[in-house]
Amino acid sequence: MTRWRGGLRHSLRNRMCVHPEFLHSNATSHKWPFGAVAELLDNAVDEIETGGATTILLDKLIDKRNGSPALLIQDDGGGMDPDSLRRCMSFGFSEKQSGSSIGQYGNGFKTSTMRLGADAIVFSRCCTRSSGPTQSIGLLSYTFLVETGHTNVVVPMVDYKCNLMNGQTQRLERHGSKQFFSNLSALLKWSPFATEEELMQNFCDIGPHGTKIIVFNLWSNDDGNLELDFDTNPEDIMISGAPNPEQISNSVRRANENHLANRLRYSLRVYASVLYLQLPDYFRIMLRGREVERHHIASDLIYPERISYRPQSCGIIREAEVLTTIGFLKGAPTISVHGFNIYHKNRLILPFHRVLSTASSKGRSVSGVLEVDFIKPTHDKQDFEKSQLFQRLMNRLKEMTNEYWDLYSNKIGYVKVPRVRAAPTPAPPVMLAIENGPAEPSERSAPAPTQPLRWQHGNSSCVNAVPIAMAPPAFHPAPVKTETDAPGAPTGYAYSYSPSWPSVQAMQIEKIKEEPSMAAPGTDWVETRKRTNDDGATTVALFKRRKAPQELAGSGSRSATDQVSRYVGEGELNEFCFLKMENRMLRGECSEFEMAEKELRVKEQNLRLEIEMAQEQFKRLLGEYVSFSSMPTRKP
């Protein structure tokens, strides 16, 4: 480049270059190796409609130069001509239509291959009417760029014309023979293939059209082992260091670890089985020589329900409608997995995404499946962009989970706890104005307020008004006995709407039927009822101790007391208030007992697990002690 002159050299200086280190930093957007593999699978799935792809192959290859394993991804799609391959290996360019294809950013191939390994070589055969069948080879190699000291990303490529009938090829020197042989020499030096003939042999199993990608010099983890494990399961590709559920002796833990939601994190076969919501029947994903069986998560749900959701944006309802299938996973409630599987354009973005962050058991084993195309995924396609639409969707999924749990949790063994609703707010009492002005306080009543009481009712104002309970006609008037009030207690009533006395008696009879023990002689309930009938003032004192002061009636004049006493008797009113208070307290205690029972069940299950683990550890230590004690001791 330094020999070039004039404007050409000046234009190259002003051109934006991509440093080789960008390949590595750009690949870090994939934090999960299987997320990078899924990007390469997406490119092949997009070829179903555009290129007629029917098969994807994933397998292990051996690099002949150093004997290390390599990853093979191959499809029989339409392939790429020389220009398409160059655009594929350029940054930020994509020919895909975002409305029909999974990929849309033009960055997936670079990030995915560089995330899995340092180098990748691509073989693609394409058959077009304009130029005829072509074969192209390209090398995206971080090792090549670093070792040769390049400050810009250079991708060596060579192209050939081929005759599919006799298998003969002809070099396609697009920019002269010198550049062709320079690129070819770089391919032979930095790829796993040492000769041009070995390069050509990679097209033998591609067919009339298709693409083959080989990722070599795979990355290792912090322990020095390859991230992709090809040895643990000869029919699968695993993540190194994955747990082995068969070695877990506890049945509950083993069942949870064997669940699909946990296995897809380290098994490519399991992850690929749920990666796509729907695929044509003729399309196959072949993993290490065996077809991946597709799995529909919705088929694992019991008591399923389908719920419709219409996304809204700025108050406008869109045409899209999201159907969510929700239910309990098979094995509930033992299975501690829950969350929604959210797809975008047929591709799984969030597997078993949790929407409830509660420490209780609510929502346990509840899962769902839905497809949302109105929210954009992130570049690595492992999450969604955090927009208002996404947040609204999450809020709706939380509501779905709570509603479903309230309806069906009892079917899997949970006790349904009734919701405690607040008592309805009573209507404002009717105020009666006192014609004779402020009332004089009685001897046993509290002193009247120094400022006159003003109550706004509609557009009128009543000065020195006294609230009264609008009792139905069934109440019998009874004179007020102020002499039996407790010392120091203000005179007055608890103002609330009360039923007739026969209704109160019916409530008491039903209460005795439901709780016979309360009617037994000598019980506190019977004694309380007796005290209430004998002495209304004692009941008033008990009521005032357990009820908030603001719920008691304020003091009033003798003239106001005479007006109220015509509608309700003191004993009847105190009896109803006492029963109402007791009922409210008992319901609150029942709710507390039910919540405590649920917490104790969870603690019991955790303690059982700890006991089993402790027993296993004791057996292991006992075995070590026996084996150590049986060893012969050396004599000095």
Side-chain angles (χ1 to χ4, degrees):
M1 291 184 184
T2 56
R3 297 180 181 178
W4 295 356
R5 300 177 182 177
L8 180 59
R9 182 180 179 184
H10 182 70
S11 64
L12 287 177
R13 287 180 178 178
N14 294 333
R15 180 168 59 94
M16 185 184 69
C17 298
V18 179
H19 196 274
E21 290 297 332
F22 179 73
L23 291 176
H24 185 267
S25 60
N26 187 43
T28 56
S29 61
H30 287 289
K31 299 179 176 61
W32 187 38
F34 286 170
V37 176
E39 285 275 8
L40 300 176
L41 292 177
D42 292 342
N43 293 334
V45 171
D46 286 338
E47 288 290 311
I48 295 177
E49 295 184 1
T50 59
T54 61
T55 306
I56 304 176
L57 300 177
L58 294 101
D59 210 340
K60 169 189 173 183
L61 294 180
I62 298 298
D63 187 348
K64 296 181 180 179
R65 290 187 182 273
N66 52 23
S68 61
L71 178 64
L72 167 69
I73 302 99
Q74 180 177 338
D75 67 80
D76 59 350
M80 293 177 283
D81 59 17
D83 293 333
S84 298
L85 182 58
R86 282 161 176 78
R87 286 191 290 267
C88 174
M89 293 192 168
S90 301
F91 284 90
F93 184 88
S94 177
E95 294 178 326
K96 298 177 181 180
Q97 301 294 327
S98 60
S100 59
S101 302
I102 302 174
Q104 53 183 308
Y105 297 109
N107 199 33
F109 171 79
K110 280 74 67 175
T111 58
S112 57
T113 53
M114 293 297 99
R115 172 61 182 84
L116 296 172
D119 311 298
I121 187 170
V122 182
F123 303 88
S124 188
R125 175 179 287 168
C126 180
C127 185
T128 60
R129 296 180 180 179
S130 59
S131 60
T134 58
Q135 297 178 173
S136 301
I137 307 173
L139 177 67
L140 182 63
S141 174
Y142 179 76
T143 305
F144 159 67
L145 297 173
V146 173
E147 293 293 333
T148 55
H150 280 78
T151 58
N152 191 15
V153 175
V154 177
V155 182
M157 292 188 186
V158 291
D159 306 298
Y160 298 86
K161 287 185 177 180
C162 62
N163 189 332
L164 299 178
M165 300 299 295
N166 53 23
Q168 295 179 355
T169 59
Q170 178 184 356
R171 293 170 181 169
L172 185 59
E173 301 175 356
R174 296 164 49 114
H175 302 285
S177 60
K178 184 177 180 180
Q179 188 189 56
F180 180 90
F181 284 104
S182 175
N183 290 339
L184 180 61
S185 62
L187 286 169
L188 298 179
K189 182 177 181 180
W190 299 101
S191 75
F193 311 100
T195 63
E196 186 177 11
E197 181 181 0
E198 292 181 1
L199 288 175
M200 293 296 104
Q201 288 178 356
N202 284 278
F203 291 97
C204 296
D205 58 349
I206 288 181
H209 47 77
T211 302
K212 176 189 291 187
I213 302 172
I214 300 175
V215 183
F216 55 102
N217 291 330
L218 301 175
W219 297 118
S220 301
N221 56 23
D222 296 337
D223 297 331
N225 301 320
L226 291 179
E227 282 187 313
L228 299 181
D229 179 11
F230 298 94
D231 300 329
T232 300
N233 189 342
E235 294 183 344
D236 198 357
I237 298 177
M238 312 284 288
I239 299 291
S240 293
N244 186 1
E246 302 303 327
Q247 297 179 353
I248 301 176
S249 59
N250 183 274
S251 59
V252 176
R253 292 179 55 195
R254 184 169 60 252
N256 278 278
E257 194 63 42
N258 267 321
H259 195 271
L260 179 142
N262 293 319
R263 292 172 56 206
L264 63 82
R265 295 182 291 108
Y266 52 82
S267 170
L268 182 58
R269 180 171 294 277
V270 177
Y271 180 55
S273 67
V274 297
L275 184 58
Y276 301 103
L277 193 60
Q278 293 179 349
L279 286 175
D281 295 335
Y282 59 82
F283 190 82
R284 301 184 303 164
I285 300 178
M286 301 296 297
L287 177 58
R288 305 197 71 178
R290 189 166 71 89
E291 183 178 358
V292 175
E293 297 180 2
R294 299 169 201 164
H295 186 86
H296 299 282
I297 302 177
S299 62
D300 293 340
L301 303 180
I302 57 178
Y303 309 112
E305 291 286 345
R306 289 175 65 87
I307 303 175
S308 175
Y309 167 71
R310 290 186 180 275
Q312 296 183 4
S313 177
C314 300
I316 301 176
I317 301 178
R318 299 190 176 188
E319 297 296 333
E321 181 182 8
V322 179
L323 290 178
T324 302
T325 304
I326 186 173
F328 283 109
L329 292 168
K330 294 178 180 178
T334 304
I335 300 299
S336 60
V337 175
H338 56 276
F340 289 85
N341 298 271
I342 308 177
Y343 288 79
H344 174 79
K345 294 181 180 178
N346 200 42
R347 159 76 138 79
L348 180 61
I349 304 297
L350 290 175
F352 294 94
H353 179 67
R354 298 185 178 183
V355 296
L356 291 182
S357 58
T358 176
S360 66
S361 58
K362 189 170 187 178
R364 182 185 177 95
S365 304
V366 177
S367 184
V369 180
L370 65 155
E371 183 180 16
V372 292
D373 295 341
F374 57 91
I375 305 176
K376 292 183 179 180
T378 56
H379 286 272
D380 62 349
K381 299 176 187 173
Q382 298 297 312
D383 202 348
F384 287 97
E385 295 180 356
K386 299 302 182 288
S387 61
Q388 291 184 356
L389 284 175
F390 178 77
Q391 189 59 43
R392 290 174 185 172
L393 176 64
M394 294 298 104
N395 294 336
R396 182 66 187 108
L397 293 180
K398 291 179 182 178
E399 295 175 359
M400 289 184 190
T401 304
N402 290 326
E403 293 169 0
Y404 183 86
W405 179 268
D406 293 339
L407 290 174
Y408 292 97
S409 60
N410 61 317
K411 293 184 177 296
I412 62 171
Y414 286 95
V415 178
K416 183 177 293 186
V417 179
R419 292 184 177 181
V420 180
R421 298 183 178 180
T425 304
V430 179
M431 312 304 297
L432 296 180
I434 301 176
E435 299 178 356
N436 299 329
E440 295 294 331
S442 61
E443 296 179 357
R444 295 182 178 269
S445 64
T450 58
Q451 298 294 333
L453 177 64
R454 298 183 179 271
W455 184 277
Q456 298 291 339
H457 183 73
N459 296 325
S460 63
S461 176
C462 298
V463 182
N464 296 331
V466 178
I468 65 172
M470 298 300 295
F475 274 102
H476 302 286
V480 180
K481 299 179 181 180
T482 56
E483 292 79 13
T484 59
D485 290 343
T491 60
Y493 305 91
Y495 299 110
S496 61
Y497 184 83
S498 303
S500 61
W501 174 243
S503 300
V504 176
Q505 289 181 331
M507 293 169 57
Q508 296 173 356
I509 294 173
E510 291 297 325
K511 188 172 182 181
I512 295 174
K513 290 180 179 180
E514 294 176 0
E515 300 180 14
S517 60
M518 298 180 62
T523 58
D524 296 338
W525 188 83
V526 175
E527 294 297 327
T528 304
R529 291 280 290 109
K530 183 177 180 180
R531 287 196 301 269
T532 302
N533 294 331
D534 295 341
D535 190 1
T538 306
T539 306
V540 171
L542 175 63
F543 179 78
K544 291 176 181 178
R545 287 198 300 270
R546 303 182 65 178
K547 200 70 173 175
Q550 61 269 20
E551 293 186 12
L552 298 175
S555 61
S557 63
R558 292 185 180 274
S559 59
T561 303
D562 294 338
Q563 295 178 17
V564 174
S565 63
R566 287 181 295 174
Y567 294 95
V568 62
E570 181 180 9
E572 298 172 354
L573 180 61
N574 291 337
E575 179 72 19
F576 173 75
C577 294
F578 175 79
L579 292 176
K580 184 177 180 181
M581 178 189 65
E582 289 293 328
N583 180 44
R584 188 177 303 171
M585 292 177 59
L586 290 174
R587 297 182 68 174
E589 292 176 358
C590 289
S591 298
E592 293 177 358
F593 288 149
E594 290 174 352
M595 293 298 297
E597 180 185 9
K598 291 176 61 176
E599 294 177 357
L600 290 175
R601 287 183 178 179
V602 175
K603 291 182 180 179
E604 179 188 9
Q605 186 176 3
N606 294 335
L607 290 175
R608 289 183 182 276
L609 293 176
E610 292 178 1
I611 291 173
E612 292 179 2
M613 295 175 61
Q615 290 177 348
E616 294 175 0
Q617 186 178 8
F618 172 78
K619 291 179 180 179
R620 180 176 58 81
L621 293 175
L622 181 62
E624 293 177 358
Y625 172 77
V626 172
S627 61
F628 179 80
S629 60
S630 61
M631 295 175 58
T633 57
R634 296 182 180 180
K635 297 181 180 181

